[in-house]
Amino acid sequence: MKQRSLFDEVDTAPSPSPEGRPADKIENARPIRELAYDIESTGKNPVSNIAVGISFCKEKGAACYVPVRHTAGPNIPDAFTVVKPVLEDGGIAKIGHNLKYDILILRKEGIHVAGKLYDTMLASYLLNPNRTEHSLESVGLEYLHHKKRAFTEVLGKRETFADVPVDEATPYAAEDAALAWELRGMLFDMLEAEGLATLYSDIEMPLIYVLADIEQNGIKVDTKRLEELSKELELELDALQSKIYSLAGEEFNINSPKQLGRILFDVLKLKPGKKTKTGFSTNVDVLEELAKSHDLPAEILNYRTYYKLKTTYVDALPKLINEQTGRIHTSFNQTVTATGRLSSSDPNMQNIPVRGEWGTKIREVFIAEKGNVLVSADYSQIELRILAHLCGDEGLIAAFRNNIDIHTRTASEIFGVPVEEVDIEQRRVAKTVNFGVIYGMSAFGLSEALGIPAKEASAIIDHYFARHRGVQDYMESTLETARADGYVKTLLGRKRPIPEIHSPNNNIRMQAERMAINSPVQGSAADLIKIAMIRIWKRLKDSTLKTRMILQIHDELLFEVPEAELDIISKMIREEMEGALTLSVPLHVEVGHGRNWSEAH
DNA sequence: GCCGTCACG
DNA sequence: ACGTACGTGACGGCA
């Protein structure tokens, strides 16, 4: 593959600074990512003075930047002094790959990036959200056939990037920016052609700033309480371990599904159920079934629950508390999910336990700063409301317009009883059915979820669709669209290609069909909350309010709110979330507050 | 590095 | 006859 020289077309040489000072005295070129790497790994900024080679195009109102290091000298302007006004100029657009990252690093250096952002990582994501790899290296290779020089290659045997001679470091540093610059031209044309430009500029681009703020804000945790919980769990686990060894008649590694399988199915001769690729399954469904015939499985389940809580949450969270802020700063990834949702990592703040006694205990450790409260606002039944809007089913729409409990109503339809006579068991079944609809349920899937024969599940599904022709028709037309176009779309035109929709393999094809059904619903809900986040963020920016947005959990937003702002903020949040989109059904948001996340919920 | 498991929406 | 709910991330075990 012919390597294209980016540097033929793109001026990456340090250009004159806005003040007209020549920047050609820069030494020890150094890209921002390696700078950031040093800051992260050593915990301190190893660079006292940084010059920036920057090439920008006034006609296009765009800037492409390459921060580089220089050795401080009397006649060399401080690099940040040079670049700061450019990066902070809202009239100059910024081009880069994963700009949220750069924005956050620059903020640590006191530079507050403003203006329009051309993020080529986000462009790549919108063009194909099924892609798992959106690194600059991968995207550059895909679209420009340009093989980026590997960092390790440049580094060689040297310790840090600062040790790399300037002659080698400069082109490497420039390559990052040059590549993003070139990609921008191609990818943003493609966004236009694909009808994704508005989604980018109205949603994903402004969201970069919102997410940067959320990450920077972080959330406060009660570390003392976490230590207490850890000890409590330690005791529980010790007791359970002894009990398990005694029930098993020998010691073994409880955390090993393989060893557990030997105990359950060979030693105790219990009846195996489902199989996995590697052996018999020991998952919760299997163990619950086995619990009917032996005491051990239930204790294994208890052990697993506590072990999970301890290792994944109670013991892991304190390690991720930032020393400077004393808070946990998660990462919100904007380019991971195939549907348009965000994801959260390091730590994942979107899967913090909520159910049961221990869910409460763990959520109680997420607290508000003194004088503040946490405010939680979550969309009620958002995916079903979106489904109602997308499919136009009259019954579903009427239910939401009349503020009727949707699961009770579905139960009434399925079981043919008046709404007033629906019992809790029927409502539970209906709730599962409603979830099933969104997931593209099969009779088998529903029967597994409900623990009923497939025949009964099949009858329930038939009943449901007989009463919800709008839903049924929508499902069929969605599949037809997927087959014809090769992709499905959300309310805002976000696309997800479904290439397997034509697979000759039944299982693969049916899985693709479920994706096609679910993605517009899940993805539209993601579109909606992103709009709400941007609206709320703007309202906060335009005010003198001190409220901070701190988390998004798919259908919920969490805020840290000064007590004095509680009433006005609660009202504002509801207004912006409920009004984010106007659908054929009303949107309902539940707002709560408290000293901790559990109380707020 | 993959697998099974399980936490969340 | 086969294998099935949609979307994630983190953990420990094991090769």
Side-chain angles (χ1 to χ4, degrees):
Chain A
M1 201 179 304
K2 183 180 174 291
Q3 283 199 16
R4 167 174 181 181
S5 174
L6 292 164
F7 308 105
D8 295 343
E9 293 169 347
V10 180
D11 174 23
T12 52
S15 57
S17 70
E19 287 82 3
R21 280 180 294 223
D24 57 1
K25 289 175 185 166
I26 290 165
E27 300 167 28
N28 298 338
R30 178 181 176 81
I32 188 101
R33 276 187 186 70
E34 278 57 56
L35 169 65
Y37 174 78
D38 280 359
I39 293 171
E40 280 183 350
S41 58
T42 65
K44 63 179 202 294
N45 178 3
V47 186
S48 55
N49 289 289
I50 298 169
V52 176
I54 184 161
S55 69
F56 57 94
C57 173
K58 272 189 182 153
E59 294 79 24
K60 291 180 191 164
C64 177
Y65 61 94
V66 189
V68 292
R69 182 184 184 183
H70 74 79
T71 309
N75 296 322
I76 303 171
D78 176 79
F80 278 179
T81 315
V82 174
V83 75
K84 191 175 155 83
V86 177
L87 293 175
E88 294 188 341
D89 186 335
I92 299 173
K94 316 301 180 297
I95 297 168
H97 197 84
N98 194 9
L99 282 169
K100 169 159 66 67
Y101 185 83
D102 295 348
I103 286 168
L104 285 167
I105 295 295
L106 286 164
R107 280 188 192 171
K108 289 183 187 173
E109 302 296 337
I111 292 179
H112 295 266
V113 175
K116 191 168 178 178
L117 307 173
Y118 289 98
D119 191 323
T120 49
M121 188 165 92
L122 271 169
S124 165
Y125 171 67
L126 290 183
L127 288 168
N128 184 6
N130 289 331
R131 243 183 115 108
T132 52
E133 174 72 73
H134 295 283
S135 67
L136 181 57
E137 185 171 3
S138 146
V139 176
L141 194 60
E142 164 95 17
Y143 291 98
L144 296 176
H145 310 296
H146 178 88
K147 184 99 171 68
K148 197 171 163 295
R149 226 178 128 199
F151 175 63
T152 49
E153 193 188 302
V154 180
L155 193 64
K157 286 178 181 169
R158 290 168 284 242
E159 284 257 325
T160 73
F161 195 73
D163 304 325
V164 177
V166 66
D167 289 356
E168 286 179 62
T170 303
Y172 176 80
E175 189 175 20
D176 232 51
L179 202 45
W181 181 281
E182 284 291 287
L183 280 171
R184 177 255 183 176
M186 178 180 288
L187 300 187
F188 281 77
D189 280 354
M190 289 172 73
L191 286 182
E192 288 281 355
E194 295 283 337
L196 293 163
T198 306
L199 177 63
Y200 176 80
S201 51
D202 290 359
I203 309 287
E204 302 298 348
M205 190 267 277
L207 194 67
I208 295 170
Y209 287 116
V210 180
L211 296 180
D213 280 359
I214 291 178
E215 290 184 15
Q216 197 178 358
N217 288 338
I219 184 166
K220 186 173 179 174
V221 289
D222 183 344
T223 46
K224 270 195 173 168
R225 183 65 187 138
L226 274 175
E227 282 171 31
E228 291 169 15
L229 293 180
S230 181
K231 283 173 192 157
E232 213 176 307
L233 287 168
E234 185 79 59
L235 291 175
E236 292 281 3
L237 284 167
D238 279 349
L240 280 167
Q241 189 188 52
S242 308
K243 206 169 178 179
I244 286 165
Y245 289 162
S246 131
L247 282 166
E250 61 179 286
E251 295 191 2
F252 65 102
N253 188 339
I254 305 169
N255 294 316
S256 163
K258 192 181 168 189
Q259 294 184 39
L260 176 62
R262 189 184 66 82
I263 298 290
L264 292 172
F265 309 122
D266 293 343
V267 178
L268 299 179
K269 306 272 187 231
L270 297 176
K271 193 164 169 280
K274 289 181 297 188
K275 273 198 276 190
T276 66
K277 283 178 188 174
T278 51
F280 293 115
S281 173
T282 67
N283 75 11
V284 59
D285 291 336
V286 172
L287 293 185
E288 273 173 5
E289 182 61 30
L290 295 177
K292 293 172 184 167
S293 46
H294 197 279
D295 287 339
L296 180 61
E299 299 306 335
I300 299 287
L301 285 172
N302 288 334
Y303 181 91
R304 282 205 181 143
T305 302
Y306 290 131
Y307 195 84
K308 181 85 169 185
L309 294 170
K310 187 168 190 293
T311 57
T312 307
Y313 304 102
V314 174
D315 289 350
L317 289 171
K319 296 175 189 165
L320 289 155
I321 296 171
N322 183 293
E323 287 197 10
Q324 270 96 55
T325 64
R327 296 164 71 99
I328 286 180
H329 303 263
T330 183
S331 294
F332 277 104
N333 202 314
Q334 210 175 341
T335 60
V336 165
T337 73
T339 56
R341 273 189 178 182
L342 299 176
S343 85
S344 159
S345 56
D346 309 298
N348 181 352
M349 286 300 298
Q350 293 181 321
N351 74 346
I352 301 297
V354 63
R355 293 155 200 163
E357 178 196 349
W358 276 88
T360 305
K361 283 185 180 185
I362 289 175
R363 292 222 168 184
E364 279 170 355
V365 309
F366 296 96
I367 55 179
E369 206 69 61
K370 199 166 184 294
N372 288 245
V373 288
L374 295 184
V375 171
S376 161
D378 64 286
Y379 282 111
S380 154
Q381 313 290 0
I382 190 57
E383 293 197 345
L384 281 174
R385 286 174 199 260
I386 292 212
L387 174 69
H389 174 84
L390 289 173
C391 74
D393 183 80
E394 286 173 24
L396 222 44
I397 289 176
F400 283 120
R401 286 192 180 159
N402 297 321
N403 202 20
I404 294 169
D405 181 299
I406 193 65
H407 301 316
T408 303
R409 185 180 182 283
T410 301
S412 147
E413 307 258 307
I414 295 171
F415 298 108
V417 298
V419 168
E420 311 81 55
E421 289 173 29
V422 170
D423 62 37
I424 27 172
E425 175 57 18
Q426 289 170 325
R427 187 180 181 279
R428 187 187 69 84
V429 170
K431 190 174 175 179
T432 306
V433 171
N434 279 333
F435 274 114
V437 173
I438 291 166
Y439 295 156
M441 69 180 161
S442 63
F444 183 90
L446 185 64
S447 72
E448 285 285 292
L450 288 173
I452 59 171
K455 265 192 177 178
E456 282 179 39
S458 182
I460 289 175
I461 291 171
D462 289 347
H463 249 293
Y464 180 90
F465 283 123
R467 306 283 169 114
H468 293 93
R469 281 302 156 84
V471 179
Q472 192 172 36
D473 293 348
Y474 168 76
M475 302 266 164
E476 277 173 23
S477 67
T478 300
L479 291 181
E480 276 169 29
T481 308
R483 289 182 199 116
D485 300 341
Y487 61 84
V488 290
K489 285 203 291 189
T490 66
L491 269 178
L492 296 196
R494 184 190 305 279
K495 293 176 177 175
R496 178 183 184 180
I498 312 282
E500 315 287 19
I501 199 78
H502 298 295
S503 172
N505 179 313
N506 285 327
N507 293 329
I508 304 277
R509 193 178 60 254
M510 284 163 66
Q511 188 180 20
E513 288 173 357
R514 293 194 298 272
M515 289 175 184
I517 297 286
N518 176 262
S519 293
V521 178
Q522 187 181 121
S524 297
D527 294 346
L528 173 77
I529 198 167
K530 284 178 174 179
I531 294 172
M533 290 167 78
I534 293 161
R535 285 165 59 123
I536 293 168
W537 182 83
K538 283 187 175 149
R539 289 279 296 264
L540 292 172
K541 278 277 155 179
D542 291 344
S543 73
T544 56
L545 295 162
K546 296 279 200 307
T547 290
R548 290 176 287 186
M549 199 183 296
I550 57 179
L551 288 180
Q552 188 251 43
I553 311 97
H554 310 304
D555 63 354
E556 173 187 4
L557 296 177
L558 193 69
F559 300 86
E560 190 166 10
V561 182
E563 281 163 14
E565 297 177 8
L566 177 60
D567 290 346
I568 190 167
I569 283 291
S570 300
K571 200 173 153 233
M572 186 271 275
I573 291 169
R574 162 167 284 130
E575 192 178 306
E576 297 298 347
M577 287 177 77
E578 291 185 346
L581 283 174
T582 303
L583 305 182
S584 54
V585 294
L587 297 177
H588 188 243
V589 171
E590 287 177 13
V591 184
H593 65 93
R595 283 289 305 145
N596 60 58
W597 194 3
S598 180
E599 278 182 23
H601 206 269

